[in-house]
Amino acid sequence: MRKIDGKAKTVRELLKGVKYSIDYYQREYKWHDKQIRELVDDLSGKFLEEYQPGHERTKVADYPHYFLGSIIISEKETASFIVDGQQRLTSLTLLLVLLRNLQKDRSKKVNVDELIFSEKFDQKSFNIHVDERTPAMEALYDGLPIDVTGRPESVQNLIQRYQDLDQAFPDELRGDTLPYFIDWLLENVHLVEITAYSDDDAYTIFETMNDRGLSLSPTDMLKGYLLANMNEQKRTTANMRWRDRIRVLNDAGKEVESDCFKAWFRSQYATKIRERKRGAKPEDFDRIGTEFHRWLRDAADNIGLTQSDDFYHFIDRDFDFYSRQYLRIVGASEGLVAGLEHIFYNAQHGFTLQNMLLLAPLTPDDDAATVNSKLVITARYIDILLTWRLWNFRSIAYSTMQYAMFLVMRDIRGLDAPALAAKLHESLLKEKETFISNDRLRVHQQNRYALHRILARLTDYVETQSGQPSHYAEFVSEGESRYEVEHIWADHAERHTVEFDHAADFAEYRNRIGGLLLLPKKSNASYGDMTYAEKLPHYLKQNLLAQSLHEQCYQRNPGLAQFMQRSGLPFKAHGEFKKADLEERSVLYRQLAELIWNPEDLFAVGQP
């Protein structure tokens, strides 16, 4: 092996004025929203432990440092190639692009451009250079819309992860705190760069770091502790049950096993959470998230693990029960499952806190019907809460919601279904912002994804209540046949000067929810700059919510007529679409939302 260099570097030192390449055989960017949210939560949480609003910017130098991991580089004659760490570096670059865009309208900015691209001989290129990513990275960098049609899966994933970053980035860091956070990220966050000078050496280092030693995982250590506290006869049976359940968890995904333990332990046992202030110590909620095996050892007496039988039942009964329910939740999060649709709706918003909430009221003594009722009640509560917040431009990011959801989780632990419905209904009634709180809901860059999901629910509800099959899965699917948000008004302010003196006023109205539909991408693109009169006949070929703009929709349509009679909703045709029409349509959408997301429905779960 030749020379090897290893050096701890700040984010600024690692990325300033350099160029990394990636070999063709490992160019896929594979991170999912979970990894992105964990990155944001870890960084923002560490920063906010120290930040105080009264601090000077220079005080950031004294904030605690954070280790983001290591990367392995193979230094060749032409470039530095990333052997290990491209997922982390790519995600970090996307975060820097987001931070750049969040500063666009500020007079005083923290310069992050030099960490995103380098410039030589008047030519700019991104510091992590992959040819197929360049057009997408340029669009993200410039804050421009991106058409993902026909792009490689890795590029589509790149774009989606940027959107996830935007959604996950906490509101509390977007204001005056933003430059402090950027300073901390660039100067106090470190990675270790290990550089080898041949591919063989680089991959030997990679294999040594990842394959040798077979260090025990937290799950292995938890198993050893639990089994060690049983008598020999019970240990054999428990070990077999453990292996069977772990195998099933691992088959479901790489991180499902550890996530299951974290969600289970938090849902049933966490009683305290760390305060977000300087010097606050991690409590059981936090420790379960980072070292659940050590936490359980320390908390054994408090949670009733004292005798051999206790440890045996913890595996044979509790682990078996909660792991099975967790896998049901995972399955319902990944696709529509009859009766558990609301779990999927919540997962569509990237709300990972729901897993522990869903487990909280469950007990191993619950029969199947009781489990289902509790899951549905809790999922519906989450669905209503998230939609109310999104409707009022509130964040649903993990860091924003964590403390409130911890309190809810603690309050609903072990409740029976009627008590659960009553408690969560009471919690919703305490919310100050509902649909009526905001009559100016509009689409913008940060909420486009979430509003797409809300429109999908509104559209699907109209159709299913009118006797048609559900098309929600189609409305939210990705790919060439995907649906997009359609503006009923084309982006031509000059057509509306009679009602709007300023283009900005027109744009604000144009983006309001009453002026939006969901249409297939191809249709959306083909309608383009058409006037409303030109678009209206085409809407008759689309979903029922779009059709309802046209007078012919109300002819020989008994399903819609019956729905209108039951609901009393003010559906009507709009021969023209002026300002007043858009406002009427906004009221219709709000009233639809109040039917779909009705807190009283919590009491209807499980009723015949």
Side-chain angles (χ1 to χ4, degrees):
M1 185 174 287
R2 305 176 192 177
K3 177 184 176 184
I4 298 172
D5 292 327
K7 184 177 181 182
K9 293 185 175 182
T10 64
V11 170
R12 183 187 297 280
E13 292 170 336
L14 189 71
L15 294 176
K16 182 177 179 180
V18 300
K19 185 188 297 295
Y20 296 110
S21 296
I22 303 171
D23 279 318
Y24 72 91
Y25 50 81
Q26 57 167 201
R27 287 184 177 176
E28 295 300 314
Y29 175 59
K30 298 180 179 180
W31 265 25
H32 298 293
D33 60 336
K34 179 179 183 295
Q35 287 80 29
I36 286 291
R37 291 177 185 278
E38 287 177 347
L39 175 67
V40 172
D41 293 337
D42 288 346
L43 291 172
S44 60
K46 191 66 176 178
F47 168 79
L48 288 170
E49 286 178 16
E50 192 71 16
Y51 172 75
Q52 297 292 328
H55 283 174
E56 297 290 334
R57 285 268 298 276
T58 54
K59 182 68 174 175
V60 175
D62 299 327
Y63 285 13
H65 292 241
Y66 184 83
F67 177 58
L68 198 55
S70 61
I71 65 170
I72 301 174
I73 303 298
S74 176
E75 191 73 36
K76 303 180 183 180
E77 293 182 1
T78 56
S80 299
F81 284 78
I82 303 173
V83 172
D84 184 42
Q86 75 122 328
Q87 306 293 323
R88 192 178 303 111
L89 282 185
T90 299
S91 301
L92 185 58
T93 301
L94 290 175
L95 176 59
L96 291 169
V97 172
L98 174 65
L99 296 174
R100 176 188 186 274
N101 289 331
L102 290 176
Q103 297 183 94
K104 271 187 176 179
D105 298 328
R106 298 179 180 232
S107 57
K108 191 174 182 180
K109 303 178 177 65
V110 182
N111 180 19
V112 296
D113 287 1
E114 60 187 2
L115 310 182
I116 300 170
F117 65 82
S118 57
E119 186 172 1
K120 290 185 178 179
F121 306 111
D122 200 33
Q123 296 293 314
K124 293 181 180 179
S125 61
F126 288 97
N127 290 351
I128 300 180
H129 178 71
V130 180
D131 288 335
E132 69 178 12
R133 298 182 189 176
T134 299
M137 289 297 297
E138 289 175 344
L140 292 174
Y141 180 83
D142 293 326
L144 300 175
I146 308 169
D147 183 359
V148 299
T149 304
R151 296 185 185 274
E153 182 179 351
S154 180
V155 175
Q156 293 186 34
N157 194 46
L158 187 86
I159 296 166
Q160 184 61 61
R161 297 294 79 79
Y162 178 83
Q163 294 171 349
D164 291 339
L165 274 169
D166 196 6
Q167 292 178 28
F169 196 74
D171 287 346
E172 56 202 304
L173 297 185
R174 292 176 182 260
D176 295 338
T177 313
L178 183 62
Y180 291 77
F181 175 76
I182 299 175
D183 286 341
W184 177 80
L185 176 69
L186 302 190
E187 307 298 344
N188 288 30
V189 174
H190 298 259
L191 297 94
V192 171
E193 183 183 59
I194 301 172
T195 304
Y197 294 88
S198 74
D199 282 351
D200 288 343
D201 288 350
Y203 281 98
T204 297
I205 297 169
F206 172 74
E207 291 173 357
T208 301
M209 292 178 64
N210 288 277
D211 293 341
R212 295 184 186 174
L214 297 176
S215 58
L216 293 175
S217 70
T219 305
D220 293 327
M221 288 184 274
L222 175 64
K223 171 188 173 182
Y225 170 69
L226 294 172
L227 294 179
N229 282 275
M230 299 178 202
N231 62 47
E232 187 172 349
Q233 182 179 2
K234 291 184 179 298
R235 188 180 303 147
T236 301
T237 304
N239 185 44
M240 292 176 62
R241 174 60 59 88
W242 180 278
R243 286 189 302 179
D244 289 343
R245 298 310 305 154
I246 291 295
R247 185 184 304 113
V248 176
L249 289 170
N250 287 332
D251 288 344
K254 184 178 179 181
E255 298 184 25
V256 172
E257 169 197 296
S258 61
D259 289 344
C260 174
F261 284 108
K262 294 173 186 177
W264 166 26
F265 291 173
R266 281 174 166 173
S267 74
Q268 300 304 307
Y269 306 115
T271 58
K272 293 183 179 179
I273 189 171
R274 179 177 57 196
E275 298 180 66
R276 301 197 73 167
K277 66 180 184 181
R278 182 178 179 179
K281 67 174 184 177
E283 300 290 356
D284 48 9
F285 182 94
D286 314 288
R287 290 192 61 201
I288 291 170
T290 57
E291 49 176 19
F292 60 83
H293 57 299
R294 293 192 184 94
W295 168 84
L296 186 129
R297 181 189 293 267
D298 295 340
D301 288 344
N302 293 333
I303 65 175
L305 295 178
T306 57
Q307 306 291 328
S308 174
D309 283 350
D310 301 329
F311 287 90
Y312 175 74
H313 290 307
F314 194 74
I315 291 179
D316 185 64
R317 180 194 61 198
D318 297 356
F319 178 41
D320 181 72
F321 173 79
Y322 287 106
S323 63
R324 290 181 189 278
Q325 301 311 320
Y326 186 81
L327 285 173
R328 292 186 66 210
I329 292 168
V330 170
S333 299
E334 294 174 347
L336 288 169
V337 173
L340 301 177
E341 295 88 350
H342 293 79
I343 296 178
F344 181 64
Y345 301 149
N346 300 332
Q348 286 276 296
H349 290 303
F351 192 69
T352 56
L353 286 164
Q354 85 157 329
N355 295 351
M356 66 178 193
L357 284 169
L358 292 169
L359 290 177
L362 306 185
T363 71
D365 294 329
D366 291 337
D367 59 25
T370 300
V371 168
N372 285 343
S373 293
K374 290 182 178 183
L375 290 176
V376 173
I377 291 168
T378 309
R380 284 194 174 190
Y381 159 79
I382 298 168
D383 184 28
I384 295 169
L385 179 65
L386 296 184
T387 309
W388 280 355
R389 290 187 64 85
L390 292 168
W391 194 279
N392 287 279
F393 304 121
R394 301 301 181 193
S395 172
I396 62 169
Y398 184 99
S399 57
T400 303
M401 300 288 288
Q402 182 189 67
Y403 184 74
M405 292 301 95
F406 161 73
L407 295 178
V408 172
M409 177 193 73
R410 197 174 60 181
D411 288 345
I412 66 174
R413 186 173 291 151
L415 294 182
D416 61 30
L420 176 65
K423 174 63 71 173
L424 293 178
H425 182 268
E426 177 187 359
S427 178
L428 287 173
L429 293 186
K430 292 178 181 178
E431 293 293 323
K432 297 179 180 179
E433 293 179 319
T434 63
F435 298 117
I436 199 68
S437 309
N438 181 22
D439 61 359
R440 296 187 177 186
L441 175 61
R442 65 189 183 280
V443 65
H444 53 74
Q445 189 63 35
Q446 282 72 44
N447 76 347
R448 180 174 294 273
Y449 181 88
L451 204 56
H452 180 285
R453 268 52 189 166
I454 291 175
L455 283 168
R457 296 285 298 283
L458 296 175
T459 306
D460 187 62
Y461 185 77
V462 172
E463 294 195 330
T464 55
Q465 291 296 307
S466 299
Q468 298 184 18
S470 173
H471 294 98
Y472 180 81
E474 298 172 31
F475 295 151
V476 300
S477 65
E478 300 294 335
E480 294 186 6
S481 61
R482 72 184 186 278
Y483 278 70
E484 293 184 335
V485 175
E486 147 84 351
H487 287 79
I488 294 176
W489 284 344
D491 192 11
H492 286 283
E494 69 275 7
R495 297 176 183 171
H496 300 265
T497 52
V498 173
E499 295 190 298
F500 298 98
D501 294 330
H502 303 286
D505 295 333
F506 162 76
E508 195 271 340
Y509 253 85
R510 175 177 179 264
N511 285 322
R512 289 193 186 183
I513 192 168
L516 305 176
L517 297 167
L518 274 190
L519 296 182
K521 174 180 168 51
K522 292 181 180 178
S523 300
N524 191 21
S526 66
Y527 298 167
D529 290 341
M530 287 183 181
T531 64
Y532 176 72
E534 293 170 330
K535 289 182 177 183
L536 189 56
H538 295 285
Y539 288 157
L540 270 177
K541 306 171 188 176
Q542 302 298 335
N543 58 69
L544 190 54
L545 190 58
Q547 293 174 27
S548 67
L549 290 163
H550 199 291
E551 61 180 1
Q552 291 184 21
C553 175
Y554 301 90
Q555 301 171 11
R556 296 182 296 279
N557 196 336
L560 177 60
Q562 292 170 12
F563 172 48
M564 291 171 60
Q565 185 176 13
R566 289 195 312 271
S567 65
L569 289 171
F571 280 93
K572 60 176 285 189
H574 294 267
E576 58 180 4
F577 208 73
K578 301 294 186 182
K579 182 178 179 181
D581 296 278
L582 191 151
E583 290 174 339
E584 287 182 5
R585 193 78 171 176
S586 294
V587 172
L588 171 65
Y589 282 15
R590 176 179 59 77
Q591 292 179 349
L592 268 172
E594 289 170 342
L595 284 178
I596 299 170
W597 293 281
N598 183 358
E600 302 306 315
D601 288 343
L602 298 184
F603 295 115
V605 176
Q607 300 298 319

